[in-house]
Amino acid sequence: MHIVEIPSFFPPYGGEFCLEQAGALQRRGHQVGIVSNVQLSVKRSLPAYFSLPYGRQWDEREGMPLYYGYQRGVPRVIRFNVHRWVTIVRSMFGQYVARHGKPDVLHAHCAKWAGYAAMLLGREWHIPYVITEHMPLWNYQEEFGPAPSKAWQVPLLREAYEQAACVIGVSEELQDDLSCYFGRNYRYAFISNLIDTRFYHYQPRQRAAGEPFRFVCPAIYTWRKGYDVLLAAMGRMRHSHVELHVAGSGTDGKAFRHLLDGSTVAGRVTVHGALDKTQMRDLLWRCHAVALATRGEVQPLSLLEAMSTGIPYVSTQAVPRCERCEGTRVVPVDDVEAFAAAMDAIVDDSAVDGKAISEWVKRMASEEIVAAQIESVLQAAVSASAR
């Protein structure tokens, strides 16, 4: 198949999911190209807004053609920015086709707005499209207000869902979450995001006598990640010979430092800040369990990466069902006492089979599994459009 990936987000604003899936599909023998228009925000990054190149550029990523450009967003003029973004993507796609030929299928990442653009392109070029949805409910709530919403964007995105050959959700619950805005009148399939299970490979842990039990929280510092609950729960644990290592963007900032200094466990917490991939894996290998008191997730890949190295986790009911397996513990959101009890229980549990946890992750989120599942959905879309 000839597949064109259209991301809603791309560097410097994310886009890793698109690159990973595109590369995985290419390694399965498909012709894959990427068409990316990034709307830059003055509020989000002033240096990027002025320093990134103007005009459209051709490049190559892992042997795949990448056609990309940067759109300067006009502050506070959302409808104009969206119309301009979609118009630019449609123009770029025409130029891609002129150079590389018409693809068999479009693969959009997030309905807002790549999925909507793919719908318009599908009509214009008679090409089926599939949407992989990564956006959580709270993103839509913040922008559209509580459901039911009369925001002008909602009917457009609902139409993009309904006209898609399939919507791939990265958790089983995502369709339920988003139904208050977009209904259920579309084809839906769950496929996990992929992680590099070869890199985050199993590593046995041998905890020596007298060695502290080490929890790790691999998460950026935001209210949604529940660091306030985690620190409070650690202070109420029965076990005191316990360390906590926190690693993520913002954890070395003033806000987290203030929260930590106001806790009773500051002396047992090590702050690592943002780590690169190798540093994070090395930290995971030194720790015995993950503790993530999250208030909301779609599919936290940090948990899958940790589990792939062979450690269990303590988290909340915000973690989707697809990430729960034997050896992991899930408690209600914002329940400090329950979280503390679960942390104590995981310290006590010497029977956790880390190898089994690692193998379980491979069966769901390895590149081979995820790419084969996406390939099947895309092939079905192409076959159905040919009838």
Side-chain angles (χ1 to χ4, degrees), residues 70-195:
Y70 300 103
Q71 167 190 338
R72 271 66 186 177
V74 180
R76 301 178 184 276
V77 190
I78 296 174
R79 193 189 291 257
F80 171 78
N81 287 333
V82 168
H83 176 74
R84 186 160 166 256
W85 190 93
V86 171
T87 300
I88 290 171
V89 169
R90 294 173 73 182
S91 171
M92 292 176 72
F93 180 78
Q95 292 170 328
Y96 175 95
V97 171
R99 178 177 287 206
H100 293 286
K102 178 180 168 181
D104 300 303
V105 64
L106 305 176
H107 185 196
H109 290 265
C110 300
K112 188 172 83 70
W113 285 98
Y116 179 72
M119 179 186 72
L120 299 180
L121 288 169
R123 290 175 181 169
E124 179 180 358
W125 293 86
H126 306 288
I127 305 170
Y129 71 95
V130 169
I131 300 171
T132 290
E133 188 56 77
H134 309 270
M135 295 265 292
L137 175 62
W138 67 81
N139 279 77
Y140 290 114
Q141 290 173 328
E142 290 172 356
E143 184 167 356
F144 302 159
S149 170
K150 295 183 179 179
W152 60 269
Q153 298 98 320
V154 172
L156 304 182
L157 297 176
R158 183 187 297 119
E159 185 181 12
Y161 280 128
E162 292 176 350
Q163 297 300 312
C166 186
V167 176
I168 299 172
V170 297
S171 72
E172 297 162 301
E173 298 93 329
L174 190 55
Q175 185 182 38
D176 295 336
D177 292 346
L178 301 183
S179 62
C180 58
Y181 289 107
F182 309 122
R184 297 173 179 275
N185 187 29
Y186 56 90
R187 291 163 288 279
Y188 186 82
F190 157 64
I191 300 177
S192 171
N193 272 310
L194 67 87
I195 64 165

Side-chain angles (χ1 to χ4, degrees), residues 13 39-50 73-76:
Y13 300 151
Q39 179 179 304
L40 300 174
S41 165
V42 172
K43 183 177 180 181
R44 189 168 181 180
S45 176
L46 192 63
Y49 190 91
F50 289 107
V74 180
R76 301 178 184 276

Side-chain angles (χ1 to χ4, degrees), residues 243-304:
E243 297 176 356
L244 173 64
H245 293 257
V246 298
S249 177
T251 57
D252 53 354
K254 291 182 180 179
F256 182 73
R257 187 77 250 177
H258 178 74
L259 177 67
L260 182 59
D261 289 344
S263 74
T264 62
V265 297
R268 294 188 283 136
V269 177
T270 301
V271 177
H272 296 270
L275 299 180
D276 64 27
K277 188 175 178 180
T278 300
Q279 291 169 328
M280 180 61 77
R281 182 187 64 178
D282 292 345
L283 177 60
L284 291 170
W285 282 346
R286 297 197 304 271
C287 294
H288 306 105
V290 174
L292 178 66
T294 180
R295 294 182 168 102
E297 300 287 347
V298 175
Q299 191 195 31
L301 298 189
S302 60
L303 287 187
L304 286 178

Side-chain angles (χ1 to χ4, degrees), residues 313-369:
Y313 69 77
V314 176
S315 194
T316 71
Q317 291 171 348
V319 172
R321 292 186 296 272
C322 64
E323 290 200 22
R324 303 180 195 179
C325 70
E326 188 172 349
T328 61
R329 286 173 168 80
V330 173
V331 301
V333 173
D334 285 334
D335 191 329
V336 173
E337 296 295 341
F339 205 91
M343 291 175 75
D344 275 322
I346 215 161
V347 174
D348 290 332
D349 189 357
S350 60
V352 173
D353 188 342
K355 180 70 171 175
I357 292 175
S358 179
E359 291 298 320
W360 182 88
V361 172
K362 282 184 183 179
R363 292 192 295 272
M364 181 181 72
S366 66
E367 176 178 309
E368 294 80 5
I369 295 296

Side-chain angles (χ1 to χ4, degrees), residues 206-213 241:
Q206 295 294 331
R207 187 178 166 213
E211 181 184 4
F213 190 97
H241 196 42

